[in-house]
Amino acid sequence: MTRCTADNSLTNPAYRRRTMATGEMKEFLGIKGTEPTDFGINSDAQDLPSPSRQASTRRMSIGESIDGKINDWEEPRLDIEGFVVDYFTHRIRQNGMEWFGAPGLPCGVQPEHEMMRVMGTIFEKKHAENFETFCEQLLAVPRISFSLYQDVVRTVGNAQTDQCPMSYGRLIGLISFGGFVAAKMMESVELQGQVRNLFVYTSLFIKTRIRNNWKEHNRSWDDFMTLGKQMKEDYERAEAEKVGRRKQNRRWSMIGAGVTAGAIGIVGVVVCGRMMFSLK
Amino acid sequence: MLMLTFASTSSDLLPMSNVFDVQSSVFYNEKNMFYSSSQDFSSCEDSSQFADDSGFFDDSEISSIGYEIGSKLAAMCDDFDAQMMSYSAHASDRSLFHRLLDFFAF
């Protein structure tokens, strides 16, 4: 198991080569050092970064930042590919299946991955019906499912907002929906092969936008964990209250049924008594 | 240089110039063999070919379905984000409240 301590791992080039998530993903994606500069972000030509700005922004390698302090989303253990593969695997397993051939997690499951599972599950439960409807439309014609999925992801990523274009909500929603679609695809032999495409596309799409937006909008995995914990607590408390209320209602309805039965019994006894008395 | 493209919905791939400078189809064919190198590009089917002879929908219908679902999903995501960010707003007075509770807990 590769030890993924944040301090020495990043300076140790040998570690970086061993990091499957970065090295193999580059090899896997055929990206030789040149990262995608614009992942459909600016669909119109004029939005393209002007050549002068492009030239001035030298590409920083992973783990390097202007003030020496690295952003937590650049840590290899928090590569977005890890989040997507962990959540897809988790969601597929919930349907009782296994994603054989899923890319491995070089640093293992991280606390942030587990928080993403919780957030993704909450998101899906909140929108279960919509997810079913969307997925039916998406998988209606297997041949174009992946194209439709790309359209959906791009529409979410490009939707107008005054918040961060890759906010926690959009990040969680895309991974949650992607996991849901992947789990449904696993149920069809014809579509199983597309799960890896979903994984690659979703990972790259989110990764590009995190790199372009999070610093400016003060987003980080640390902040994600802080907010996620509170949301998780509130959600679990609300669920416990719901269960408590249901139990209480059940208790009251049983008491009510008992009282009613008792009353009927008493009335019956009185009526029988009267009848026997009048017969004498 | 290896090239990586994610095919778009319409029959014409995303315009080369403004997508990104990496082009290779990242798809699996029926034999579940992963093709990424450009030499094998020809033998690998990509979803734009699928889209072309789907026969069910034309391109505009495909995009409109994707756009419609995407817009609804984006609204759901933004609501979720607003709810999540609300925790950062009252995080400070939340901890004050908890300290108060802890104080009176004894």
Side-chain angles (χ1 to χ4, degrees), chain A residues 255-272:
Chain A
I255 290 170
V259 166
T260 313
I264 292 168
I266 291 167
V267 167
V269 166
V270 166
V271 166
C272 292

Side-chain angles (χ1 to χ4, degrees), chain B residues 9-21:
Chain B
T9 53
S10 53
S11 54
D12 55 318
L13 293 174
L14 288 174
M16 301 277 282
S17 59
N18 73 348
V19 176
F20 37 79
D21 56 4

Side-chain angles (χ1 to χ4, degrees), chain B residues 99-106:
Chain B
R99 254 183 266 138
L100 220 62
L101 271 186
D102 294 344
F103 179 75
F104 288 111
F106 298 99

Side-chain angles (χ1 to χ4, degrees), chain A residues 159-229:
Chain A
Q160 285 305 318
T161 177
D162 45 13
Q163 299 294 323
C164 175
M166 189 39 72
S167 62
Y168 302 138
R170 290 186 178 188
L171 172 68
I172 293 164
L174 286 174
I175 291 180
S176 178
F177 183 64
F180 185 85
V181 174
K184 291 286 183 188
M185 279 183 162
M186 289 299 283
E187 292 166 6
S188 132
V189 175
E190 200 175 355
L191 284 164
Q192 276 178 5
Q194 297 278 0
V195 172
R196 179 174 272 261
N197 294 345
L198 247 62
F199 154 67
V200 171
Y201 187 78
T202 309
S203 307
L204 260 182
F205 189 90
I206 293 173
K207 182 174 193 163
T208 310
R209 277 168 170 66
I210 282 180
R211 181 177 298 133
N212 288 346
N213 296 294
W214 269 22
K215 194 165 186 70
E216 177 196 342
H217 292 268
N218 253 321
R219 299 284 175 128
S220 66
W221 287 116
D222 195 36
D223 186 40
F224 168 84
M225 287 296 277
T226 308
L227 301 179
K229 276 191 190 105

Side-chain angles (χ1 to χ4, degrees), chain A residues 228-245:
Chain A
K229 276 191 190 105
Q230 292 173 59
M231 192 169 200
K232 178 173 177 248
E233 278 168 25
D234 274 12
Y235 181 80
E236 281 164 358
R237 194 178 304 125
E239 285 293 297
E241 276 166 18
K242 223 183 274 180
V243 168
R245 260 201 309 274

